[in-house]
Amino acid sequence: MKRLQQKLIVVLSVVVLVGNAQNTAAEANRAAGDDTRLIASYVDTPDSAFEQPDVANGPWKALRSKKVILLPQNLTPPSRFEPSTDEVNVRIVHNGAWIGIAVTWKDDERNHTTASGVFSDALAIGFPKKDLTATSPFMGGHGAGMEINYWKALWQQDVDVGYQEVNDLHPNTVADEYVGFRSESLPDSNPASSAKMSEVMATPEGREGLPAVAIGNPMSQVDRTSPVEQSIAEGFGTLTTQKQQDARANALHADGKWTVVITRPLDTGDTADVPLAVGKESAINFAVWNGGEGDVSGRKSYTMFTPLLIAEKE
Amino acid sequence: MPKVKNWQINRDMDYPYEDSRPDKQIAYIFDTNKCIECQTCTIACKTTWTSGKGQEQIFWNNVETKPYGGYPQAWDVKLLDKLKAQRWKGDSYEGKTVFENVPFGDQVEGHRPEEDDYAHPNLGEDEITGTVEGGQYFTGIHHQWMFYLARICNHCTYPACLAACPRKAIYKRDEDGIVLVDQSRCRGYQECVKACPYKKVFYNAMTRTSEKCIGCYPRVEKGLQPRCVESCIGKIRLQGWLSKPGEARADNPIDQLVHIKKVALPLYPQYGTEPNVYYIPPVHVPRKFLEQMFGPSVETAIENYMAAKDDKEALAAMLMFGNTPQIITKCKHEDSHAVGFNDKGEEVVRVPLTEPFIVRRHYDEKFKSFRLNTA
């Protein structure tokens, strides 16, 4: 039996040693042991792995995940009584310049559309601008704000497939004419492709027909290129899209699970962001929205702040 | 939670924000007895404001047939059911408003319509309450009924949509009381859609924001009545300004009919939002049904409405309906005419209190033809 155990350890050791960059990360993570902190492990990987994150094969792949328990947001309405998601499993890596955070949670149904009463799955990753003890995990507070990186399945679909709109929700939609759209483009084609949309928005009628698009509401980006939005918040109802967007994201829904990777430079140079530095301790928290459970706005499951250490290169 | 005074239910009530009535409050009166459900108002609104992609199901104005119609489907009965017993003692409401019957997790009691609830804008159109027994067509009175209910945003004094928005993206303008969704701030959470008891905030899947009736504010700012009012061929609508409780002016046609003669009543006052579209109830509908809909003063309202032909002040106010695109701030009766004025004091309406009755000959000598309608 002892011999078998030894063999197993050897085999595992070999597996760990196979990935050159990933092994360092795995060891660092393992070294954390029962440490309640989340450790961003160092990986020797080029920036491109973070700039265009590959969910399945990125540098977070070999890391052992750490479980973080979610609570229902029930401090202020709109809220929920019980969490719609119980836990997230988190893997964090960095290469000295970029940080990548992979978050996995169980969700049998992929909700990536929007309509009346229909909501999208989503994930938010927050960093407190001040010390974690001075900052409310509920979107921060006055003078103690948060940087929030918000990913949405709907936006992922926008980026992967095209801007989700009426024809995606109801493929058999027929309309004689919409204000601002050329009638000959309907109903067979998708008039919301970015090229045509730019034509639509170039006309006064088109802008009148899509007021939130015309006014530049970040929710109405018909030419969206990123599924993640960087925001700042200083308390409930203050979420505001940052002018400078530094985060990248990608996501995969498979086997009844979402895995979402959000990356950003450790130091973005943007005063709206929280600067992260190697060897320094910060904090991080998470929020998950299960669209199928009616999660939207404050109806979400969240975590308290967890200390986050950006590990030194070993 | 702050307490605010709601004159329509004659008591203080809970509301998430302090009492703050606007300088001017937009108000409308709709005479249900005159509506023929031609939907001209609906189309006027639709073609002006909501003919964009993503606005297919958005009807800031709609006209539905009561008792079975409703858009979105069952918008009112679903909430009535949630509020449970809604008792009145005299003119005081003793039940719970949408701000006082709040389930855990919400700011306001409400319900979120399903997508399918928006699929049939005029389901129940022209349906009467039941079957008309054979022969009743000819014997005169039968007991089946229906009526048309024209609906827009009520630009409530205590808007539930505003109360429910966690982003404070909805605001009520001080200058006219119009309630608006800030299209640059809205993130499409749809809490307002859920909270509005009248279901007059809609979600636009194309822009991913919520949109609602804007009270035609670009027109109102120029002293013009909204499109739905101006276009009404039945002249059932009047838009003007409602004075604050206790400050009613007899020469303000809206005040005259709402505060003084109490001919026009709010829709579902028990919801507690103090809506500002006032309805002259249909005279032929069972009172119990109307009392559920318009509160306990229905009988008085109908009596005063029927007596208005002999009440020159009320009649003058009623004759302001549909006779000018301009907003009438003052009216009076002069001998045989009703006269209306805009906010500059200019005369914009002059109509006879009683239309002259002219009998024409059955045979028209000029055109050498018989007339079918001679009076």
Side-chain angles (χ1 to χ4, degrees):
Chain A
M1 188 66 187
K2 197 173 179 181
R3 189 174 284 254
L4 186 66
Q5 280 177 338
Q6 282 172 342
K7 274 186 178 175
L8 206 61
I9 288 166
V10 169
V11 170
L12 283 172
S13 303
V14 169
V15 170
V16 167
L17 288 167
V18 166
N20 49 20
Q22 292 147 358
N23 62 356
T24 318
E27 283 166 8
N29 220 29
R30 203 175 288 115
D34 291 334
D35 195 343
T36 55
R37 296 177 303 178
L38 283 165
I39 310 292
S41 310
Y42 175 80
V43 288
D44 186 11
T45 306
D47 291 354
S48 58
F50 295 87
E51 288 164 351
Q52 292 175 318
D54 180 339
V55 178
N57 301 305
W60 35 81
K61 181 182 176 185
L63 247 61
R64 199 170 60 177
S65 65
K66 188 146 187 165
K67 188 200 298 182
V68 186
I69 302 296
L70 294 166
L71 303 165
Q73 192 293 106
N74 54 19
L75 194 71
T76 189
S79 60
R80 55 178 309 126
F81 193 64
E82 289 179 339
S84 53
T85 304
D86 294 325
E87 62 186 43
V88 288
N89 289 285
V90 182
R91 292 167 290 166
I92 310 178
V93 292
H94 75 93
N95 69 348
W98 283 74
I99 186 169
I101 304 155
V103 185
T104 302
W105 71 94
K106 223 180 135 200
D107 187 349
D108 292 333
E109 190 184 6
R110 177 192 167 109
N111 303 108
H112 61 262
T113 56
T114 182
S116 293
V118 178
F119 304 105
S120 171
D121 296 328
L123 167 78
I125 296 177
F127 300 105
K129 297 206 78 172
K130 289 188 173 172
D131 184 76
L132 69 91
T133 56
T135 309
S136 164
F138 301 98
M139 302 178 71
H142 186 62
M146 283 177 69
E147 170 203 334
I148 293 173
N149 298 272
Y150 181 60
W151 168 93
K152 219 169 170 177
L154 172 66
W155 296 340
Q156 188 73 48
Q157 196 77 358
D158 286 347
V159 173
D160 293 347
V161 180
Y163 189 75
Q164 298 297 291
E165 48 104 342
V166 177
N167 296 84
D168 300 291
L169 283 167
H170 304 290
N172 296 321
T173 299
V174 175
D176 295 335
E177 194 167 4
Y178 292 108
V179 63
F181 286 88
R182 289 169 304 157
S183 56
E184 63 269 22
S185 68
L186 295 169
D188 297 320
S189 62
N190 182 345
S193 66
S194 56
K196 279 178 186 160
M197 186 58 80
S198 62
E199 287 175 28
V200 169
M201 296 313 295
T203 66
E205 297 81 14
R207 288 192 289 275
E208 280 172 22
L210 296 164
V213 179
I215 208 166
N217 187 321
M219 299 300 99
S220 317
Q221 281 178 41
V222 290
D223 52 356
R224 179 174 285 283
T225 54
S226 171
V228 65
E229 173 199 55
Q230 271 199 315
S231 297
I232 47 169
E234 286 200 2
F236 297 121
T238 64
L239 191 71
T240 304
T241 307
Q242 292 184 19
K243 281 185 182 154
Q244 185 179 316
Q245 293 290 318
D246 300 294
R248 315 285 172 88
N250 203 353
L252 193 66
H253 187 265
D255 304 324
K257 285 178 186 170
W258 270 116
T259 298
V260 178
V261 176
I262 296 178
T263 67
R264 77 153 172 80
L266 287 171
D267 187 357
T268 62
D270 182 1
T271 53
D273 290 337
V274 174
L276 303 171
V278 177
K280 294 268 175 69
E281 196 167 287
S282 179
I284 188 169
N285 78 338
F286 306 89
V288 171
W289 288 260
N290 184 337
E293 291 286 318
D295 279 358
V296 66
S297 66
R299 301 177 203 281
K300 64 187 176 188
S301 308
Y302 77 102
T303 72
M304 302 301 282
F305 282 120
T306 305
L308 168 69
L309 175 69
I310 314 295
E312 302 269 9
K313 182 179 178 181
E314 291 179 0
Chain B
M1 190 179 285
K3 289 276 182 193
V4 295
K5 175 76 180 173
N6 182 329
W7 69 267
Q8 294 176 355
I9 59 172
N10 196 29
R11 69 170 172 84
D12 291 343
M13 64 165 202
D14 294 339
Y15 188 66
Y17 299 103
E18 298 288 344
D19 212 341
S20 173
R21 286 176 189 272
D23 293 342
K24 278 166 85 179
Q25 175 60 60
I26 194 169
Y28 304 71
I29 299 176
F30 293 179
D31 186 349
T32 60
N33 296 287
K34 289 158 74 178
C35 180
I36 58 167
E37 203 216 25
C38 63
Q39 307 283 10
T40 308
C41 48
T42 307
I43 298 305
C45 176
K46 190 85 185 136
T47 53
T48 306
W49 298 119
T50 62
S51 51
K53 197 165 173 61
Q55 295 178 315
E56 293 84 353
Q57 87 292 5
I58 297 180
F59 286 93
W60 290 349
N61 182 107
N62 78 298
V63 188
E64 57 202 41
T65 306
K66 286 294 170 197
Y68 298 125
Y71 184 75
Q73 209 170 322
W75 64 272
D76 48 357
V77 290
K78 281 183 186 171
L79 184 56
L80 291 170
D81 190 44
K82 283 181 167 238
L83 285 181
K84 307 295 178 199
Q86 297 142 54
R87 293 197 180 85
W88 293 80
K89 189 174 183 182
D91 59 356
S92 300
Y93 177 55
E94 294 191 321
K96 299 261 179 84
T97 69
V98 294
F99 307 111
E100 297 166 336
N101 192 58
V102 184
F104 178 86
D106 287 333
Q107 187 69 269
V108 176
E109 173 71 287
H111 64 92
R112 210 186 295 276
E114 306 275 324
E115 261 224 292
D116 281 355
D117 292 333
Y118 292 102
H120 310 284
N122 221 359
L123 197 68
E125 183 181 24
D126 284 352
E127 280 185 25
I128 55 173
T129 46
T131 309
V132 176
E133 297 297 323
Q136 282 185 342
Y137 294 107
F138 308 106
T139 56
I141 295 169
H142 57 76
H143 299 292
Q144 310 305 336
W145 56 271
M146 58 84 168
F147 70 98
Y148 300 123
L149 185 73
R151 301 203 307 112
I152 59 170
C153 166
N154 285 281
H155 297 284
C156 303
T157 308
Y158 305 114
C161 57
L162 184 153
C165 179
R167 285 185 61 71
K168 299 181 177 66
I170 301 180
Y171 61 105
K172 186 170 175 68
R173 306 208 311 179
D174 218 22
E175 61 266 41
D176 50 23
I178 289 174
V179 178
L180 295 175
V181 179
D182 182 342
Q183 289 300 309
S184 66
R185 186 157 178 75
C186 176
R187 285 180 73 94
Y189 296 155
Q190 303 184 43
E191 297 295 334
C192 51
V193 177
K194 187 179 179 188
C196 172
Y198 303 97
K199 294 293 164 260
K200 280 298 176 189
V201 192
F202 297 85
Y203 181 68
N204 183 330
M206 189 77 186
T207 62
R208 300 167 181 177
T209 57
S210 295
E211 298 176 349
K212 67 175 290 300
C213 162
I214 58 171
C216 285
Y217 71 82
R219 286 177 61 85
V220 169
E221 286 171 359
K222 291 178 186 165
L224 297 171
Q225 299 188 67
R227 292 279 284 129
C228 62
V229 177
E230 184 201 23
S231 66
C232 177
I233 61 163
K235 301 186 175 186
I236 82 151
R237 299 184 182 214
L238 179 71
Q239 179 263 314
W241 309 109
L242 182 75
S243 299
K244 289 173 186 170
E247 298 177 13
R249 280 183 11 240
D251 61 1
N252 174 351
I254 298 280
D255 283 351
Q256 172 68 219
L257 298 176
V258 173
H259 282 317
I260 297 168
K261 293 291 155 42
K262 301 182 193 305
V263 167
L265 304 170
L267 178 61
Y268 293 118
Q270 66 268 42
Y271 290 166
T273 61
E274 218 186 275
N276 286 301
V277 178
Y278 296 86
Y279 291 85
I280 300 176
V283 298
H284 64 291
V285 171
R287 300 299 185 256
K288 277 211 158 209
F289 187 88
L290 292 180
E291 280 167 8
Q292 175 177 258
M293 219 163 185
F294 302 112
S297 306
V298 165
E299 195 63 55
T300 311
I302 291 175
E303 277 173 18
N304 292 347
Y305 179 64
M306 301 299 269
K309 64 182 171 46
D310 302 316
D311 177 343
K312 286 190 175 177
E313 282 194 322
L315 191 57
M318 282 183 179
L319 288 170
M320 297 298 108
F321 285 57
N323 279 323
T324 172
Q326 297 201 41
I327 297 173
I328 300 167
T329 56
K330 193 176 168 183
C331 73
K332 64 176 182 179
H333 58 91
E334 268 180 11
D335 303 324
S336 58
H337 281 76
V339 189
F341 304 88
N342 62 16
D343 64 346
K344 294 177 192 143
E346 298 164 341
E347 181 182 315
V348 290
V349 183
R350 181 172 285 266
V351 285
L353 288 170
T354 306
E355 288 287 339
F357 190 80
I358 297 165
V359 179
R360 299 184 295 175
R361 290 178 184 280
H362 184 46
Y363 185 73
D364 187 323
E365 293 287 349
K366 185 181 174 187
F367 294 105
K368 307 222 178 314
S369 64
F370 288 95
R371 293 187 172 109
L372 295 174
N373 186 351
T374 58

